[in-house]
Amino acid sequence: MRTVEELQRILQRIDGRGYKAYQELEGAYRFPTWELFIDHVQPDPFAPPSRMRARVPQTVAGFPEELFSERVRRIALEDYLARRVRSAAEHIFRGHRGSGSSGLFLVDAGGQEVLERTAVRITAHWVELRFQLGLPAAGRTVLGRQAEEALCRKLPLLVRQSLLWESTPAEECRRFVQCVENQEFIRRQLRSRGLVAFVADGSILPRRSGISQLPLPNAIPFRSPESLRVTFTLPHPIVHSGSITTSLSGMGIPEGVTLIVGGGYHGKSTLLRALERGVYPHIPGDGREYVVTREDAVKIRAEDGRRVEHVDLSPFIGTLPYGQSTQQFCTENASGSTSQAANILEALEAGSRLLLMDEDTSATNFMVRDARMQALVAKEHEPITPFVDRVRELFERFQVSTILVMGGCGDYLDVADTVILMQDYHAYDATERARQVAAAFPTGRRVESPAPFEQLVPRVLLPESIDPSRGRREFSVEAKSAELLLIGTTPIELWAVEQLVDTSQARAIGYALCVLGERYADGQTPLPELLDQLEQLLDTGGLEALSPFARYGHHPGNLARPRRYEIAAALNRLRTLRMRQRRP
Ligand code: ADP
Ligand code: MG
C-alpha cells in the first residue's frame, strides 16, 4: 500500500503529461486514518469518471453496532450515509473545472425510496464508500495540482464530514433507520392481519408534478374511513400530529378484490401510485413513508407493442381468428389486451399474489364486455375472457388479490369485496352502498369464463437467450435510465415496468440477466426457480455478487437491488428471449 506522500509525488510528476499517465494511480493508498483504493482509472477525461473506494476502519468511524446489526437497519444506514455523502460533496466538490468529467464527484445515492445499494457498505470492521471522481485535465493534459487538491484535500474532508459517527447528526440518523425499520415491521405484519396494504392517516400521497417524486406542498393529508381503520404498534416511536407515539392508525386494505372508485380528478390514481411504490420503504418526510404494500404487489397495465414469448394466454384470450391457439402465445407486437393478459400471467409466474391496476392504463376490452356488447358480438367471435370474469376466481382459487382503480365501469361492483370511494381527495368506505347499487341495478351481462383457470404452465429459459456481447466487447450492459436497459446490442424497454424506480436497479437487472443466462439457465429449470436461485445469490453474496467488476474485490459499480418481479419483467421484454413450456 502506497502512502499519501507517494500519491502526491506521482501527481506532481505527471502534471502536464498526457492523460494516460493517470493509469499509474491504480492501487491502494494509506491516509492517516483511512484508505483509498483507486480501482479503475478512466481512459480519458470524457469517459465515465474513475471508480474509487474510501474505507474507514470502525475504530475510527465508530458507528454504533445497533444501527447496522440487522439487515434492515444496515440497508437503511448505508442508504442514509450515501445521501450524507452526496450532500457533503455538493459543497466540497462544487465548481469543478476542466475538460470532460474533470473534478466531478459522483455517488450513487437514492431518491425517495430506500433501497439496498452498493454505494456504501458498512461492516463491523469498516465503512466503505464507493464513488467516482473525474481526474482533472485541461484538454487531455493531466492537471496534477487539481488532482492533488481533489484527492488529498477535498476527499479527506468529505470522509471526515460524512463517514464518521462523530460528525453524523445522531438523532436524524437514528430516526431514519428506525423509520425504515418501522415500515418493514408493518410489511411483515400485513399477511397475518389479512391485509394487502396500509395507508397511514396523515400520509401525503400526491407528488409535486408528473416528473417529480417530491411531495406536493399543501396537499390534503390522507385519512382512513372509520370502518377500514387499523392500528399498528410500532417498534420505534414516531412523531405523529405533534405527539410522540408508537401507535399508528390508517386504512388497512383487506385481501380480496378492492375497487377504488370516484369521480375524475378525485385522487384515485394518486392512491394507487402510492400503493405501487409502497413495496419499498420511503425516506422520512416523503409523505408516503407509512404507505406500506405487501412485497409481492405488481402493477399491471396494457403495453401494446411488447414482445411475448410462449405464454399460455388461454385463461384470458381464447382461440384467435382462423383457429390460432393462444396456449403457446408468441408475438413481436402484442395488442393492448394481449399485453395486459401476458403481464398478469407473467407476474403470477414470478410469484406475485397481488395485482394493482388502473383503468387509465388498462385495455377496455380486457377489463369488461358489457351486456350490450355480449348481445351484439357472439361469444364465439370474442376470444377475450374479460378480467371481470376472472378476478374472483383468481382470489378464491389462487389467493391472488387485486386492487383496481375503476371510475368508469360499474360492472365490477358485483365482484368487489371492498369499495373505496375517493371524493375531494378523501377516502370513504362505499362497500355497503356498492352492494345495494349492484342489487338494485343488475348489469344483465352473462359471466363469460369458458373453462376454469388452470394451473400456470411452467416455462424454462433457454440459455442462448441472453447475449451480452457487443462488437469486440464480450460484456456490455448499460442502463440508460430506469426505462431503458441495453444488454449487448439488445435494448429492453422498461417504461411499462412502473415499479422499477431507480436506474441502478435497471443496471443490476442487466447484470442479473447475464448471471441467469450464464450460470443458471439450463433449459430445464422453470423460471420461478431460477429467480429463487438469483435471490439467494443476492441474499448471501449481496449485490456485489452480480457485478462483473467486484470479482476483483473492486468498486462493484452502481447497483441497487431490484425485486424478482422486475427482473422477470425485464427478461420477458428481452426481444431475444427464448422460452419453452414444460407442460406437466
Ligand atoms: P383520478 O385518478 O381520480 O382522476 P388523480 O389521482 O390523477 O385523479 O388526481 C388528480 C389530481 O389531484 C392530481 O394532480 C393529483 O396530484 C391531485 N391530488 C391527488 N390527491 C391529492 C391530495 N390529497 N391533495 C391535493 N391534491 C391531490
Ligand atoms: Mg386516474
Side-chain angles (χ1 to χ4, degrees), residues 264-265 267-270 273 358-360 405:
Y265 220 70
K268 305 182 298 296
S269 297
T270 301
R273 273 196 294 270
D358 192 325
E359 61 179 348
D360 292 350
V405 169

Side-chain angles (χ1 to χ4, degrees), residues 199-208 213-223 270 274 285-291:
V199 185
D201 289 338
S203 295
I204 299 297
L205 306 185
R207 299 295 99 187
R208 190 167 290 181
Q213 283 296 317
L214 297 175
L216 178 73
N218 306 316
I220 295 174
F222 186 84
R223 251 191 93 72
T270 301
D286 173 81
R288 300 168 298 185
E289 56 270 50
Y290 291 109
V291 179

Side-chain angles (χ1 to χ4, degrees), residues 537-555:
L537 177 75
L538 292 176
D539 287 340
T540 52
L543 278 163
E544 282 88 347
L546 293 179
S547 168
F549 313 113
R551 286 173 201 155
Y552 317 103
H554 280 180
H555 189 308

Side-chain angles (χ1 to χ4, degrees), residues 314-522:
S314 61
F316 291 110
I317 319 271
T319 308
L320 296 172
Y322 304 103
Q324 301 168 69
S325 161
T326 52
Q327 290 191 351
Q328 300 234 16
F329 186 74
C330 298
T331 179
E332 294 295 328
N333 189 4
S335 67
S337 54
T338 50
S339 62
Q340 194 160 0
N343 285 349
I344 291 176
L345 292 157
E346 289 166 351
L348 298 178
E349 176 185 44
S352 169
R353 295 294 175 266
L354 175 55
L355 307 177
L356 309 179
M357 287 200 232
D358 192 325
E359 61 179 348
D360 292 350
T361 49
S362 291
T364 309
N365 60 340
F366 178 76
M367 299 310 285
V368 76
R369 218 162 86 86
D370 68 10
R372 285 182 154 174
M373 217 33 103
Q374 287 181 330
L376 184 65
V377 180
K379 177 61 200 152
E380 61 264 34
H381 297 297
E382 173 52 272
I384 300 175
T385 300
F387 189 68
V388 69
D389 289 330
R390 287 290 190 209
V391 63
R392 285 230 64 78
E393 190 183 6
L394 278 175
F395 181 57
E396 280 153 18
R397 293 189 46 211
F398 303 102
Q399 290 78 51
V400 177
S401 293
T402 300
I403 303 178
L404 173 62
V405 169
M406 183 50 88
C409 175
D411 288 6
Y412 272 88
L413 298 184
D414 290 324
V415 294
D417 297 301
T418 306
V419 180
I420 299 164
L421 169 70
M422 295 303 293
Q423 198 168 304
D424 303 320
Y425 313 133
H426 291 290
Y428 300 89
D429 182 354
T431 310
E432 264 323 301
R433 180 99 186 85
R435 263 186 209 135
Q436 291 161 11
V437 169
F441 302 94
T443 64
R445 71 183 295 279
R446 288 180 312 275
V447 172
E448 295 182 337
S449 44
F453 192 147
E454 296 301 335
Q455 289 304 114
L456 292 170
V457 182
R459 290 186 304 163
V460 301
L461 170 63
L462 305 186
E464 66 265 26
S465 299
I466 299 153
D467 175 12
S469 70
R470 185 186 186 90
R472 264 173 305 170
R473 295 173 64 183
E474 230 173 275
F475 184 88
S476 161
V477 166
E478 194 184 349
K480 298 274 188 198
S481 69
E483 302 186 345
L484 183 61
L485 171 65
L486 272 162
I487 294 188
T489 55
T490 313
I492 306 181
E493 286 192 44
L494 297 169
W495 58 270
V497 184
E498 293 173 304
Q499 290 164 297
L500 190 65
V501 298
D502 195 299
T503 307
S504 299
Q505 282 183 310
R507 196 174 295 115
I509 287 176
Y511 295 151
L513 296 186
C514 295
V515 169
L516 268 189
E518 199 179 297
R519 276 192 244 166
Y520 296 140
D522 53 3

